[in-house]
Amino acid sequence: MKILENIIANKNLLFTDASSGATTPVGTLYRSLGLNPVEKGLIFLYNDNQLPSIEVLLNFYGTAHAIAVLGQKLHPEFKERLETEYRPKYIFDPSRDEVQGYSLKEFSETVKIFAKEDYQPEVTIHPDIKILLSTSGTTGVPKLVKLSDENLYQNAVSILQYMPILESDVVPLNVPINFVYGFSIFTTNCMRAGRIVCTDKDIMQKAFWDEMEEYGYSTLGGVPYLYENLNRIGFFRKDSASLRYMTHTGGVINAELRKTIFNYCLEFEKQFFAQYGQTEAGGRMAYLTTDGLLEEETSIGTPVHGGSFQIDPETDELLFLHSSISGGYANKLEDLSTYEQPKLLHTGDTGRRGQNGLYYITGRIKRIMKLFGIRLNLDEVEFILKNELEGNTVVCLNGNDKKIIVLYDNKEIDPQIIKEIIKNKLRINPQYVSTEYIESFPLSQNGKINYPLLQNLQHEKI
């Protein structure tokens, strides 16, 4: 239990409930439920980043249980599908009063957990499986990534080599811990920082900024869409005194916004870490420091300590090697009996290595379309448009290989300008470009733009 041992070793670490201000030291929190450390089984933890969720996570991490960390706001049908498939021993879900086949057991004044009635283990869960994280969002097949304590620890150690975490830092959990990025923020800061503030507010809510003022947050994290929204509300025009550094992952930030963030960091003495990672590698796989923001292209920087990249010579796919790579996927309960760690991870992204030693993402293998036989990377088209449109958010979709569909959410954008940019930059006739204003982009549970949903909606129109 290297992760938990290192968290406990940070003896001054405090956990604060943002809404009530109640604070508990780590030495009390991780063993508050009086669990049997050798008890084995599977627990579903529906997380909302509130203090009780964190308390359950830390307590169960210290036992032989495997923990599936899932989002509390998942659709009820998805929860039911997952529970039918995996039949967990325990379910922590404060949003429900009852779960069929389970009885509610009171572990403390604030923590109640559903326990399966007449539970009998059906499979022996592989002892290396510690954390299970979902990759399929709110719908689809209940596919879980199998992560070991060693995976998570090695990834955390790699991140701590470059992340400037101080023992005085106050860290908000504004990224849900049921996403690997949020989980990675949680573990690394628990190992080094001074206070973790448990909050279910996101940075587009006024309450979050009230909490930031009250507790003095040292850092913020988010996906590109979050930083695009921060730019829109004028965040980068003034100083936030307590803030020392920001982190991001989940996609490339466009060039205009990178310049804005760089200038903000320069003027107000902040740091920014652009990062690249996937759930299957325990979190963060590469990083770019503040100075790298001025790179002209979509650099993800260099691999984290202990990791390396290779480029598949035939497909240009980016391959990752590190001891943090997970032990595979689980689609059903029986899959939890095995843990098979591959030597390298196929990222599904295409990339290249520059002469400066930095790595660059050039697109997703599945985001390639053929327009009249011409191979077109929609990520590259999107990136060109964002740069030419001063960082505005746009989404490019495949119109059945017959046209490029461009969605935008800023009414002030002239759609003819979009067509002209594509014509001038890519030599594509405007008649093969379709534009559409959309009031707001649907987001997935992790705050990213929901591309599969948008693509499906467009297919229905075609």
Side-chain angles (χ1 to χ4, degrees):
M1 300 297 176
K2 292 180 179 177
I3 286 286
L4 188 61
E5 288 170 4
N6 279 271
I7 291 174
I8 297 168
N10 185 7
K11 296 184 182 301
N12 295 321
L13 179 64
L14 301 172
F15 292 87
T16 296
D17 181 279
S19 55
S20 69
T23 294
T24 308
V26 65
T28 301
L29 196 67
Y30 85 94
R31 54 185 175 186
S32 61
L33 304 184
L35 302 178
N36 179 353
V38 298
E39 185 182 354
K40 297 179 181 178
L42 173 65
I43 175 172
F44 273 17
L45 193 168
Y46 290 106
N47 162 64
D48 60 357
N49 273 13
Q50 301 276 31
L51 189 56
S53 290
I54 302 303
E55 184 177 4
V56 171
L57 172 65
L58 290 178
N59 272 270
F60 274 85
Y61 206 104
T63 70
H65 287 88
I67 310 165
V69 186
L70 304 157
Q72 195 174 109
K73 295 179 181 177
L74 286 174
H75 193 282
E77 290 182 5
F78 190 67
K79 288 182 179 179
E80 185 178 342
R81 200 180 317 157
L82 276 167
E83 290 158 11
T84 300
E85 189 62 65
Y86 289 94
R87 303 178 289 284
K89 186 174 185 177
Y90 294 112
I91 296 174
F92 175 76
D93 187 357
S95 70
R96 288 188 284 181
D97 296 324
E98 60 180 356
V99 178
Q100 189 172 3
Y102 290 78
S103 56
L104 193 58
K105 184 177 178 181
E106 189 169 309
F107 281 77
S108 74
E109 291 183 4
T110 56
V111 174
K112 297 177 182 177
I113 302 174
F114 293 102
K116 191 167 184 58
E117 297 162 357
D118 302 323
Y119 175 78
Q120 293 294 329
E122 300 175 60
V123 301
T124 300
I125 298 175
H126 196 286
D128 283 347
I129 300 174
K130 190 68 242 178
I131 294 292
L132 295 158
L133 296 175
S134 174
T135 63
S136 54
T138 57
T139 58
V141 178
K143 186 177 179 181
L144 302 175
V145 176
K146 299 183 283 190
L147 291 158
S148 71
D149 180 60
E150 185 68 18
N151 293 150
L152 298 164
Y153 175 72
Q154 291 299 333
N155 190 254
V157 168
S158 296
I159 294 161
L160 290 173
Q161 298 289 323
Y162 66 87
M163 197 61 70
I165 302 173
L166 299 176
E167 61 182 13
S168 57
D169 277 350
V170 179
V171 181
L173 296 183
N174 67 292
V175 181
I177 64 165
N178 44 293
F179 305 122
V180 73
Y181 174 37
F183 197 88
S184 177
I185 290 173
F186 174 73
T187 55
T188 50
N189 282 285
C190 282
M191 291 163 68
R192 287 278 178 83
R195 184 186 297 271
I196 304 295
V197 179
C198 304
T199 178
D200 61 349
K201 309 295 188 304
D202 65 54
I203 69 169
M204 298 311 294
Q205 295 176 276
K206 181 181 180 300
F208 178 85
W209 299 106
D210 292 340
E211 292 172 1
M212 182 166 180
E213 181 73 19
E214 181 176 357
Y215 297 110
Y217 293 154
S218 309
T219 181
L220 291 176
V223 296
Y225 188 61
L226 179 142
Y227 286 102
E228 290 167 7
N229 278 321
L230 282 181
N231 191 31
R232 183 179 295 179
I233 64 175
F235 173 82
F236 298 113
R237 290 199 290 266
K238 62 180 182 180
D239 189 17
S240 296
S242 64
L243 190 67
R244 292 197 305 107
Y245 72 98
M246 296 169 285
T247 67
H248 117 284
T249 189
V252 177
I253 293 177
N254 67 75
E256 286 299 315
L257 183 52
R258 292 206 308 271
K259 289 177 186 174
T260 299
I261 294 172
F262 177 84
N263 290 330
Y264 169 80
C265 291
L266 190 67
E267 182 176 0
F268 298 113
E269 298 182 341
K270 315 294 184 188
Q271 287 180 279
F272 189 89
F273 294 90
Q275 300 165 116
Y276 168 78
Q278 294 186 355
T279 306
E280 290 83 350
R284 293 170 264 187
M285 296 150 57
Y287 71 101
L288 190 71
T289 59
T290 313
D291 289 342
L293 292 173
L294 294 183
E295 283 284 317
E296 293 181 357
E297 298 179 71
T298 57
S299 176
I300 57 171
T302 55
V304 297
H305 179 77
S308 62
F309 286 129
Q310 295 176 1
I311 306 291
D312 187 306
E314 294 185 359
T315 63
D316 289 339
E317 184 177 11
L318 188 70
L319 310 174
F320 181 62
L321 295 87
H322 196 283
S323 52
S324 66
I325 296 174
S326 71
Y329 300 102
N331 293 295
K332 56 185 183 300
L333 177 62
E334 289 73 15
D335 293 339
L336 299 184
S337 64
T338 61
Y339 176 89
E340 298 170 354
Q341 186 181 29
K343 291 182 179 178
L344 55 82
L345 175 67
H346 288 261
T347 65
D349 290 323
T350 55
R352 68 175 182 83
R353 185 178 187 272
Q355 292 183 343
N356 55 6
L358 300 179
Y359 284 86
Y360 297 81
I361 295 295
T362 55
R364 289 287 296 173
I365 288 179
K366 293 182 179 178
R367 288 266 289 161
I368 302 293
M369 67 176 288
K370 282 192 174 180
L371 191 62
F372 305 108
I374 301 171
R375 194 169 180 264
L376 202 60
N377 188 321
L378 290 172
D379 288 325
E380 289 183 357
V381 179
E382 200 170 288
F383 200 72
I384 289 170
L385 286 172
K386 285 186 177 183
N387 286 340
E388 294 293 321
L389 296 171
E390 299 180 341
N392 274 285
T393 303
V394 296
V395 166
C396 292
L397 302 172
N398 183 354
N400 272 1
D401 283 344
K402 294 179 180 176
K403 60 181 178 180
I404 303 170
I405 300 169
V406 183
L407 308 179
Y408 58 99
D409 66 348
N410 184 348
K411 279 185 176 178
E412 295 182 1
I413 293 177
D414 181 350
Q416 287 305 316
I417 292 179
I418 291 175
K419 294 186 177 184
E420 283 299 312
I421 293 171
I422 292 178
K423 175 186 173 185
N424 294 331
K425 295 284 183 180
L426 300 169
R427 306 296 182 192
I428 293 174
N429 191 314
Q431 69 175 307
Y432 303 121
V433 180
S434 171
T435 60
E436 181 179 334
Y437 166 75
I438 184 169
E439 189 169 342
S440 62
F441 289 109
L443 303 180
S444 57
Q445 286 283 314
N446 60 6
K448 298 180 185 177
I449 292 174
N450 194 330
Y451 280 84
L453 176 60
L454 286 170
Q455 187 69 69
N456 288 338
L457 291 173
Q458 289 299 323
H459 281 156
E460 291 175 2
K461 293 179 182 177
I462 296 172

